[in-house]
Amino acid sequence: MLRTVIPPAECAALVPDLATTRNPNVWVYRYTHETEPWTLSIATHATPGSAKLSLGGFRIAPLERTTTPGFTTDREAIALAMGMEEKVHWSRVIQVGGPLAIRDITRIVGGKCVLAPTDDARVGNVRDAELLTWAAECLNDLEGRDGIHITTGQDLGHGRMSDGKTGSLEFLHARFHGSVVADTSIPTGEGNYQILRGMLRAHGVPLERATIALIGCGNIGMHIIQRLRAHAGVTILACEPREERRAELEAMGIRTWGPEAKQAFLELPMDALVVNAAGGTLDPFSIATCAANPQLRVVCGSENLVMPDAQGVFTLRDAHKIYATTELGGMMGYLTAVEQYLAVLEGLPFDVGTVLKAAERLDTAGYEATSRILAGAHHETFEEAVTALYLK
């Protein structure tokens, strides 16, 4: 394997926004296969030799990301690691997590693994085992040489492998101990649901008479939908690219739209918008459409790289729409991964129920931050309100 280490100054040159973050110190370890055009970039906020836990999913970059203008695995990993560090920050501020994560919260930093495969090596295709075996070798090499602990798990691109029976996460876990296998989509979806409920509750809108629009109905979105459907009277609208998933939703009585109708979808009467697509959902035009929607009150979700232009936060604030940063809404996934990692390391039973219970804290945070914003006539962003309430 060919390895290149990119220090923080060079990372900031690749992603200029890094310099303005709370922790601009990101290293990237880029591995390139000797004969195949496979690249794995591992970005981390962990200082070499620090023994920190670097948390972030293992992303097999989907085609819609690899074909995005300017895409490289280095830039993608850095940007995603920045988001993970934000999740870690907010979990510290709000003090949310399972018992082991709360105990070790000062050891945890944000990171991300991004793998660019060839089409024949994507999960489910003929060379998937070869690709993931090589990726596990890279992860073991980094952990053995650099004195940090990579803890990674579910993200985009995973599923059933070409043998028809092995899950890609299980395959990685068997070859690299830091790869965890917990289904993080359920706790992430639960965190989404809880913060949504708290924010609407502060507006005096019970879920039983709310209209909730979702963009992206994968595993996370479907968990939210199942939770919402328990509230008789709720109206659910869904924008989803996969035809088979739209058919499934329609069979449940949920109206659906394809991605080509996204802007018209955002103009529909809705109380809340929940975003969990593959990235870039809240582009400037979509932000403007949301700002002009007279009924829309709340925007939340857990989508990574959701807002290409960060000024959208202030556009929504000025339009009196409350946007809960998706890094805050998505923290329960990483908290599940670290809880399982630490439990296995210490020979303890892992109980995902502790993480689902911890997610209820986001209902409180959503309610209290939204109430503060409403009382202050929308002069604060959601992040500013949470910081004022919880950071002592």
Side-chain angles (χ1 to χ4, degrees):
M1 64 184 71
L2 306 175
R3 178 177 128 134
T4 303
V5 180
I6 306 174
E10 293 180 29
C11 287
L14 288 172
V15 181
D17 287 347
L18 176 61
T20 64
T21 62
R22 299 174 214 279
N23 181 1
N25 295 313
V26 171
W27 285 258
V28 169
Y29 300 83
R30 182 205 304 138
Y31 289 86
T32 306
H33 196 276
E34 294 90 337
T35 60
E36 299 294 336
W38 299 339
T39 304
L40 172 63
S41 294
I42 304 168
T44 178
H45 284 81
T47 304
S50 64
K52 295 283 190 181
L53 296 173
S54 178
L55 266 291
F58 186 103
R59 172 169 293 198
I60 303 171
L63 189 62
E64 58 263 36
R65 293 302 300 171
T66 58
T67 55
T68 300
F71 173 89
T72 68
T73 53
D74 294 340
R75 290 194 183 95
E76 191 89 343
I78 293 166
L80 290 165
M82 289 160 56
M84 284 303 308
E85 183 73 356
E86 281 292 289
K87 293 177 184 179
V88 175
H89 168 77
W90 292 118
S91 59
R92 286 195 189 109
V93 170
I94 301 174
Q95 283 294 294
V96 59
L100 299 178
I102 290 294
R103 184 198 69 191
D104 282 12
I105 197 70
T106 59
R107 292 181 59 205
I108 300 170
V109 297
K112 202 76 175 188
C113 306
V114 177
L115 174 62
T118 48
D119 287 343
D120 63 349
R122 291 188 179 279
V123 171
N125 293 331
V126 292
R127 301 185 67 194
D128 55 2
E130 184 182 348
L131 174 75
L132 293 186
T133 297
W134 172 76
E137 291 170 357
C138 299
L139 290 163
N140 281 303
D141 177 77
L142 191 158
E143 185 162 282
R145 291 170 63 176
D146 297 288
I148 57 178
H149 303 288
I150 302 295
T151 307
T152 190
Q154 190 173 27
D155 205 286
L156 298 177
H158 288 280
R160 194 70 56 195
M161 296 187 66
S162 56
D163 65 3
K165 56 184 179 181
T166 308
S168 55
L169 290 177
E170 287 79 6
F171 188 93
L172 278 170
H173 178 71
R175 291 157 180 81
F176 174 65
H177 77 106
S179 176
V180 299
V181 298
D183 184 352
T184 58
S185 68
I186 294 174
T188 303
E190 185 65 16
N192 275 211
Y193 166 78
Q194 294 288 350
I195 202 164
L196 169 68
R197 184 174 70 170
M199 294 174 78
L200 286 178
R201 185 159 56 90
H203 277 96
V205 179
L207 290 174
E208 288 77 9
R209 59 179 178 85
T211 297
I212 314 295
L214 295 94
I215 296 182
C217 299
N219 292 338
I220 294 170
M222 290 303 286
H223 179 83
I224 299 166
I225 286 170
Q226 294 298 344
R227 292 289 268 143
L228 290 173
R229 291 182 77 213
H231 299 271
V234 68
T235 299
I236 303 172
L237 312 172
C239 183
E240 162 62 35
R242 291 168 296 166
E243 186 175 350
E244 63 276 15
R245 181 52 58 86
R246 293 202 302 272
E248 181 182 348
L249 292 166
E250 292 280 355
M252 296 164 60
I254 295 171
R255 294 174 63 202
T256 68
W257 288 257
E260 73 285 350
K262 174 185 164 187
Q263 298 307 321
F265 178 79
L266 292 173
E267 294 173 355
L268 296 170
M270 61 181 73
D271 296 295
L273 174 67
V274 184
V275 290
N276 282 295
T281 291
L282 297 178
D283 58 88
F285 188 46
S286 298
I287 289 285
T289 307
C290 289
N293 188 318
Q295 185 173 324
L296 179 63
R297 296 172 169 89
V298 165
V299 181
C300 62
S302 64
E303 182 174 326
N304 293 312
L305 307 180
V306 66
M307 194 179 290
D309 183 355
Q311 289 303 308
V313 173
F314 304 105
T315 301
L316 292 173
R317 179 202 62 188
D318 293 344
H320 291 187
K321 318 299 181 185
I322 302 181
Y323 168 67
T325 170
T326 55
E327 286 78 23
L328 196 153
M331 70 171 64
M332 299 314 304
Y334 108 76
L335 289 166
T336 303
V338 74
E339 198 71 16
Q340 183 181 49
Y341 174 82
L342 292 170
V344 171
L345 193 67
E346 299 175 24
L348 300 172
F350 167 65
D351 179 8
V352 72
T354 62
V355 186
L356 295 173
K357 180 67 176 176
E360 295 175 6
R361 177 75 172 146
L362 292 180
D363 172 89
T364 302
Y367 175 79
E368 292 183 347
T370 300
S371 296
R372 178 184 171 95
I373 292 167
L374 294 174
H378 290 271
H379 290 305
E380 290 179 314
T381 66
F382 194 86
E383 292 185 31
E384 290 167 343
V386 169
T387 300
L389 286 167
Y390 297 113
L391 189 59
K392 307 300 182 184

